Amino acid sequence: MEFMDSSMTFRQKNLVIKSLRYMDRHKKITQYCDECGKSWTDLSFDEANNLTKILDKMAWK
């Protein structure tokens, strides 16, 4: 990632990557909800859990 310079610590880099992963997942869940005509609160626990697992496998690998 270009915006990370050598002065950043390993911990800071991990924080940046985790926050980007979260933002990406947030967008994808919102997109899924829009396509299904649901809101975040309408998702069942299993539906949300499965969606999160799928997105974690896809993102930033």
Side-chain angles (χ1 to χ4, degrees), residues 10-46:
F10 182 73
R11 188 165 181 255
Q12 288 170 321
K13 286 180 186 178
N14 280 342
L15 250 142
V16 170
I17 290 168
K18 283 179 184 173
S19 63
L20 287 172
R21 190 179 294 145
Y22 173 78
M23 286 169 30
D24 190 48
R25 183 168 40 174
H26 190 281
K27 283 185 221 163
K28 292 228 184 340
I29 292 173
T30 301
Q31 181 184 355
Y32 173 83
C33 288
D34 289 345
E35 289 173 8
C36 292
K38 296 181 176 183
S39 70
W40 279 59
T41 53
D42 293 335
L43 295 175
S44 69
F45 176 79
D46 288 336

